[in-house]
Short mmCIF file of all heavy atoms in Angstrom, two decimals:
data_model
loop_
_atom_site.label_atom_id
_atom_site.label_comp_id
_atom_site.label_asym_id
_atom_site.label_seq_id
_atom_site.Cartn_x
_atom_site.Cartn_y
_atom_site.Cartn_z
N GLY A 6 0.80 -1.22 0.00
CA GLY A 6 0.00 0.00 0.00
C GLY A 6 0.84 1.27 0.00
O GLY A 6 0.35 2.33 -0.40
N HIS A 7 2.09 1.16 0.40
CA HIS A 7 2.99 2.32 0.45
C HIS A 7 3.82 2.47 -0.82
O HIS A 7 4.65 3.38 -0.92
CB HIS A 7 3.93 2.19 1.64
CG HIS A 7 4.83 0.99 1.59
ND1 HIS A 7 4.33 -0.30 1.54
CD2 HIS A 7 6.18 0.88 1.55
CE1 HIS A 7 5.35 -1.15 1.49
NE2 HIS A 7 6.47 -0.46 1.48
N ARG A 8 3.60 1.58 -1.82
CA ARG A 8 4.41 1.60 -3.03
C ARG A 8 3.55 1.77 -4.29
O ARG A 8 3.97 1.41 -5.39
CB ARG A 8 5.23 0.30 -3.14
CG ARG A 8 6.07 -0.02 -1.94
CD ARG A 8 7.30 0.85 -1.87
NE ARG A 8 8.44 0.18 -2.49
CZ ARG A 8 9.60 0.77 -2.73
NH1 ARG A 8 9.77 2.04 -2.41
NH2 ARG A 8 10.59 0.11 -3.27
N LEU A 9 2.38 2.36 -4.14
CA LEU A 9 1.41 2.44 -5.24
C LEU A 9 1.99 3.12 -6.48
O LEU A 9 1.69 2.70 -7.61
CB LEU A 9 0.16 3.21 -4.80
CG LEU A 9 -0.59 2.70 -3.57
CD1 LEU A 9 -1.84 3.56 -3.35
CD2 LEU A 9 -0.97 1.24 -3.72
N HIS A 10 2.77 4.15 -6.28
CA HIS A 10 3.18 5.00 -7.40
C HIS A 10 4.64 4.81 -7.79
O HIS A 10 5.23 5.65 -8.45
CB HIS A 10 2.89 6.46 -7.06
CG HIS A 10 1.44 6.70 -6.71
ND1 HIS A 10 0.42 6.55 -7.62
CD2 HIS A 10 0.85 7.02 -5.52
CE1 HIS A 10 -0.74 6.79 -7.03
NE2 HIS A 10 -0.51 7.08 -5.76
N HIS A 11 5.18 3.66 -7.40
CA HIS A 11 6.54 3.33 -7.79
C HIS A 11 6.53 2.51 -9.08
O HIS A 11 5.65 1.68 -9.30
CB HIS A 11 7.24 2.52 -6.68
CG HIS A 11 7.59 3.34 -5.48
ND1 HIS A 11 6.64 3.80 -4.59
CD2 HIS A 11 8.79 3.79 -5.02
CE1 HIS A 11 7.24 4.49 -3.63
NE2 HIS A 11 8.53 4.49 -3.87
N PHE A 12 7.51 2.75 -9.90
CA PHE A 12 7.66 1.99 -11.14
C PHE A 12 8.40 0.68 -10.84
O PHE A 12 9.12 0.56 -9.84
CB PHE A 12 8.44 2.81 -12.18
CG PHE A 12 7.69 4.00 -12.70
CD1 PHE A 12 7.86 5.25 -12.11
CD2 PHE A 12 6.79 3.87 -13.75
CE1 PHE A 12 7.16 6.35 -12.58
CE2 PHE A 12 6.08 4.97 -14.23
CZ PHE A 12 6.26 6.20 -13.64
N PRO A 13 8.23 -0.35 -11.72
CA PRO A 13 8.91 -1.63 -11.46
C PRO A 13 10.40 -1.51 -11.19
O PRO A 13 10.93 -2.21 -10.32
CB PRO A 13 8.63 -2.41 -12.75
CG PRO A 13 7.29 -1.91 -13.20
CD PRO A 13 7.31 -0.43 -12.87
N ALA A 14 11.10 -0.61 -11.90
CA ALA A 14 12.54 -0.46 -11.69
C ALA A 14 12.88 0.07 -10.30
O ALA A 14 14.03 -0.06 -9.85
CB ALA A 14 13.12 0.48 -12.75
N GLN A 15 11.89 0.64 -9.62
CA GLN A 15 12.09 1.17 -8.27
C GLN A 15 11.74 0.15 -7.19
O GLN A 15 11.82 0.47 -6.00
CB GLN A 15 11.27 2.44 -8.08
CG GLN A 15 11.65 3.57 -9.03
CD GLN A 15 10.66 4.74 -8.95
OE1 GLN A 15 9.45 4.56 -9.06
NE2 GLN A 15 11.20 5.94 -8.75
N LEU A 16 11.33 -1.05 -7.61
CA LEU A 16 10.89 -2.09 -6.68
C LEU A 16 11.89 -3.24 -6.70
O LEU A 16 12.51 -3.54 -7.71
CB LEU A 16 9.50 -2.60 -7.08
CG LEU A 16 8.38 -1.58 -7.13
CD1 LEU A 16 7.12 -2.21 -7.71
CD2 LEU A 16 8.10 -0.99 -5.76
N SER A 17 12.00 -3.93 -5.57
CA SER A 17 12.81 -5.15 -5.51
C SER A 17 12.11 -6.27 -6.28
O SER A 17 10.93 -6.16 -6.65
CB SER A 17 13.01 -5.57 -4.06
OG SER A 17 11.78 -6.02 -3.50
N GLY A 18 12.84 -7.38 -6.50
CA GLY A 18 12.23 -8.51 -7.18
C GLY A 18 11.01 -9.04 -6.46
O GLY A 18 9.99 -9.35 -7.07
N GLY A 19 11.10 -9.14 -5.13
CA GLY A 19 9.96 -9.63 -4.36
C GLY A 19 8.78 -8.69 -4.43
O GLY A 19 7.63 -9.13 -4.50
N GLU A 20 9.05 -7.39 -4.43
CA GLU A 20 7.97 -6.41 -4.54
C GLU A 20 7.32 -6.47 -5.92
O GLU A 20 6.09 -6.39 -6.05
CB GLU A 20 8.50 -5.01 -4.24
CG GLU A 20 8.83 -4.78 -2.77
CD GLU A 20 9.54 -3.47 -2.53
OE1 GLU A 20 10.24 -2.98 -3.45
OE2 GLU A 20 9.41 -2.92 -1.42
N GLN A 21 8.13 -6.64 -6.96
CA GLN A 21 7.56 -6.77 -8.30
C GLN A 21 6.67 -8.01 -8.40
O GLN A 21 5.60 -7.96 -9.00
CB GLN A 21 8.68 -6.85 -9.34
CG GLN A 21 9.42 -5.55 -9.54
CD GLN A 21 10.47 -5.65 -10.63
OE1 GLN A 21 10.15 -5.96 -11.78
NE2 GLN A 21 11.72 -5.41 -10.28
N GLN A 22 7.09 -9.10 -7.80
CA GLN A 22 6.26 -10.31 -7.84
C GLN A 22 4.98 -10.10 -7.06
O GLN A 22 3.91 -10.58 -7.46
CB GLN A 22 7.04 -11.51 -7.30
CG GLN A 22 6.31 -12.85 -7.41
CD GLN A 22 6.04 -13.27 -8.84
OE1 GLN A 22 5.38 -12.55 -9.60
NE2 GLN A 22 6.53 -14.44 -9.21
N ARG A 23 5.04 -9.35 -5.97
CA ARG A 23 3.81 -9.08 -5.21
C ARG A 23 2.87 -8.15 -5.98
O ARG A 23 1.65 -8.25 -5.85
CB ARG A 23 4.15 -8.50 -3.83
CG ARG A 23 4.57 -9.60 -2.84
CD ARG A 23 4.70 -9.06 -1.45
NE ARG A 23 5.98 -8.36 -1.26
CZ ARG A 23 6.21 -7.49 -0.29
NH1 ARG A 23 5.25 -7.18 0.58
NH2 ARG A 23 7.40 -6.92 -0.17
N VAL A 24 3.42 -7.25 -6.80
CA VAL A 24 2.56 -6.47 -7.70
C VAL A 24 1.86 -7.42 -8.68
O VAL A 24 0.66 -7.27 -8.96
CB VAL A 24 3.37 -5.40 -8.45
CG1 VAL A 24 2.48 -4.71 -9.51
CG2 VAL A 24 3.92 -4.36 -7.50
N ALA A 25 2.60 -8.39 -9.19
CA ALA A 25 2.00 -9.37 -10.10
C ALA A 25 0.89 -10.16 -9.41
O ALA A 25 -0.15 -10.46 -10.00
CB ALA A 25 3.07 -10.31 -10.64
N VAL A 26 1.10 -10.50 -8.12
CA VAL A 26 0.06 -11.20 -7.36
C VAL A 26 -1.15 -10.28 -7.18
O VAL A 26 -2.29 -10.71 -7.37
CB VAL A 26 0.60 -11.65 -5.98
CG1 VAL A 26 -0.53 -12.20 -5.12
CG2 VAL A 26 1.70 -12.69 -6.15
N ALA A 27 -0.90 -9.02 -6.83
CA ALA A 27 -2.01 -8.07 -6.66
C ALA A 27 -2.80 -7.92 -7.95
O ALA A 27 -4.03 -7.87 -7.93
CB ALA A 27 -1.46 -6.70 -6.22
N ARG A 28 -2.10 -7.85 -9.07
CA ARG A 28 -2.77 -7.74 -10.36
C ARG A 28 -3.64 -8.96 -10.63
O ARG A 28 -4.76 -8.85 -11.14
CB ARG A 28 -1.72 -7.57 -11.47
CG ARG A 28 -2.29 -7.37 -12.86
CD ARG A 28 -1.18 -7.13 -13.87
NE ARG A 28 -0.24 -8.25 -13.90
CZ ARG A 28 0.90 -8.24 -14.58
NH1 ARG A 28 1.27 -7.15 -15.24
NH2 ARG A 28 1.70 -9.29 -14.58
N ALA A 29 -3.14 -10.13 -10.26
CA ALA A 29 -3.90 -11.36 -10.51
C ALA A 29 -5.12 -11.48 -9.61
O ALA A 29 -6.19 -11.91 -10.05
CB ALA A 29 -2.98 -12.57 -10.34
#
């Protein structure tokens, strides 16, 4: 919830995967 406006390049690998989970 604190990373809503970050781009993928600004996120760690685990955070990017959790965005993918949120999208799903």
